[in-house]
Amino acid sequence: MGEPSSSDVVIAGGGPTGLMLAAELALAGTDVVIIERRSDQTVDGSRAGGLMPRTLEVLDQRGVADRFVSEGQLHPFVGYGGTTLGVADFPTRHPHLLALWQGDIERILASWVLDDLGVPIVRERAVEGLTQDDAGVDVEISDGSILRAGYLVGCDGGRSAVRKAAGIGFPGVDATTSWMIAQVDMDDPEVGMRPEGGGIGPVDRVNGGSPYGVVLKEVEPQPGGAAPSLDELRAALRVAYGTDFGAREPRWVSRFTDMCRQAQTYRAGRVLVAGDAAHIHPPQGGQGLNVGVQDAVNLGWKLARVAAGTAPDSLLDTYHEERHPIGAQVLKNTLAQVALATGGDRHQALRDTVFELLAMDEPRRRMAGMMSGLDVHYDLGDGHPLLGRRMPDLDLSTAGGAVTVFALLHEARPILLNLGDPGAIDLGGWAGRVDLLDCSMVGPWELPVIGEVPAPEAVLVRPDGHVAWVAGPEAPSLPAVITTWFGPANGSS
Ligand SMILES: Cc1cc2nc3c(=O)[nH]c(=O)nc-3n(C[C@H](O)[C@H](O)[C@H](O)COP(=O)(O)OP(=O)(O)OC[C@H]3O[C@@H](n4cnc5c(N)ncnc54)[C@H](O)[C@@H]3O)c2cc1C
């Protein structure tokens, strides 16, 4: 098959964010292509080590969560600043962290997106520049060709060429601390976490043994330094443990820092950024990949509709409005976690105090809600507590039988659930844009962190699983809300 010369949407970068965005666009029928620098999906080193509850939920909304769950290990907690926060009591079908390395996550994602959904990917090419006009973007590819796109999304990682070429600022906090990270063979090392963060653990979490993953905070921080050598790693191990455990055969040795930066805007005209291209931060708490995938799920359905001309261009602005605050919150909580993992008596006292607070139920639930992604709330105005929050995966009864909310979201289409009198809602000219289901639900409506909320008469659920409207005396008119998110009724202009 020849390479395309134009596409409605070009995605730069086929990492976790780019793949998830491609899936969302493909489900909506958008013409999309990924340009990817790597020759295959192999990931250097371990990188991300797991999927958070909300990420598992968004994958479940597309019917593919089981593919990931069947290959990893479930833990009833998430990490925070050197301690763990229980999530087992949250009302979700995924009250756990799924331990799974990024290489496996990308392999499973790629098999769904590239093989099952058939998204084309052009490998061993990089996006190097862009020029945008009112009608589209000329995307400059490393082989000298130009690809014409309606929209370009930079999912090309922390050093994003797209972000730079679009002139999007990347302000933040400079690095003060650095860690070595490596995978090496070792003889019976001391496995476990260290008080200042990091530690040693087998790469194969099920069978154990060599090779081991090592993360070591550096005594002399190297904020801008290149990858360390094996000798430097050995020396650092001797400082930390008194021995280097015979470290040898490095599979991978690298360094990361506590630098935090966030794109000033997630949108510059027809160019958008998502994932690490939009926010970078240290890996404390294991959030980067998760937030990137969730960026993609927020952006995908909006971009699909704007690219197709069925929704107003302003819909794309809501991507920045909704996701930028989430990214800012992640930067803030990773900075706090780095501070908590700092050595010395004063920080030990801080750690003891914070951990004492987190042992209490309310603080634990608040922080676990944030780290798990289950507390995400987009500001869609005042109203019912469901508004802007994730729709719970409830068991619904319908005339056609039992169905779960997430099963209704597999095709990434908006759905209006009428929980009141059957036939009470008529979608009129929006019938093709939004699905309507008469249904009922027996049992409590419960949200993580918040608890039980009043049962609604009707809810409009966006393709990303967030609630856009809840029926009620104070609620805005349904046609106005549908027009905002999904465009005017068929036949109107
Ligand atoms: C040590 C470490 C531990 C981590 N632990 C966790 C964790 O436990 N949990 C977690 O959620 N996250 C973790 N992360 C973060 C996670 O790895 C990233 O947040 C995640 O990979 C971001 O995905 P992305 O798709 O946005 O970017 P990337 O994974 O960086 O993917 C970008 C893609 O774009 C390609 N590319 C780059 N430039 C171009 C270009 N110009 N043109 C075309 N293609 C291009 C690259 O080849 C790559 O495939 C960790 C990271 C590190 C370094």
Side-chain angles (χ1 to χ4, degrees), residues 11-19 35-38 40-41 46-52 101-102 106 125-128 155-162 181 205 215 252 255-256 274-279 281-293:
I11 298 175
T17 306
L19 287 171
I35 308 294
E36 166 56 49
R37 177 178 278 153
R38 284 181 285 168
D40 60 33
Q41 211 63 46
S46 313
R47 296 193 74 180
L51 296 177
M52 291 289 186
W101 293 117
Q102 183 158 343
E106 290 200 23
R125 304 275 195 290
V127 170
E128 293 191 329
C155 299
D156 49 346
R159 295 191 171 89
S160 174
V162 171
I181 179 163
R205 289 157 158 165
V215 176
W252 178 70
R255 177 172 267 143
F256 65 87
D276 277 16
H279 38 71
H281 51 81
Q284 273 78 358
Q287 303 163 90
L289 180 151
N290 288 273
V291 179
V293 166

Side-chain angles (χ1 to χ4, degrees), residues 8-239:
D8 287 346
V9 177
V10 170
I11 298 175
T17 306
L19 287 171
M20 191 71 206
L21 179 62
E24 295 296 294
L25 290 163
L27 285 169
T30 309
D31 167 34
V32 54
V33 62
I34 302 173
I35 308 294
E36 166 56 49
R37 177 178 278 153
R38 284 181 285 168
S39 59
D40 60 33
Q41 211 63 46
T42 309
V43 175
D44 274 347
S46 313
R47 296 193 74 180
L51 296 177
M52 291 289 186
R54 181 57 187 157
T55 312
L56 290 169
E57 283 196 345
V58 300
L59 293 166
D60 206 1
Q61 288 176 177
R62 301 301 176 249
V64 295
D66 289 350
R67 301 183 188 196
F68 298 84
V69 172
S70 64
E71 293 207 27
Q73 303 88 42
L74 298 175
H75 300 287
F77 52 75
V78 293
Y80 176 80
T83 189
T84 55
L85 307 170
V87 292
D89 59 338
F90 281 155
T92 164
R93 292 186 207 272
H94 300 280
H96 36 241
L97 172 81
L98 176 72
L100 189 65
W101 293 117
Q102 183 158 343
D104 297 317
I105 295 170
E106 290 200 23
R107 172 177 49 78
I108 300 166
L109 257 183
S111 135
W112 172 46
V113 180
L114 308 179
D115 302 340
D116 298 2
L117 298 176
V119 173
I121 185 165
V122 179
R123 291 199 178 272
E124 297 183 85
R125 304 275 195 290
V127 170
E128 293 191 329
L130 63 96
T131 313
Q132 56 172 319
D133 54 51
D134 289 347
V137 189
D138 284 334
V139 184
E140 295 161 26
I141 312 294
S142 50
D143 61 5
S145 64
I146 302 278
L147 187 50
R148 180 70 175 168
Y151 293 86
L152 169 65
V153 189
C155 299
D156 49 346
R159 295 191 171 89
S160 174
V162 171
R163 185 188 67 233
K164 289 173 192 161
I168 297 174
F170 203 40
V173 178
D174 289 335
T176 56
T177 305
S178 62
W179 290 261
M180 283 186 194
I181 179 163
Q183 285 181 6
V184 285
D185 281 335
M186 289 196 271
D187 301 318
D188 296 323
E190 195 178 313
V191 168
M193 299 285 288
R194 293 185 61 78
E196 76 278 16
I200 299 177
V203 174
D204 184 336
R205 289 157 158 165
V206 178
N207 300 309
S210 240
Y212 291 91
V214 184
V215 176
L216 272 185
K217 193 166 189 172
E218 299 191 86
V219 180
E220 296 288 331
Q222 305 287 325
S229 65
L230 177 62
D231 282 343
E232 286 176 275
L233 176 73
R234 281 199 188 118
L237 281 165
R238 286 194 291 272
V239 171

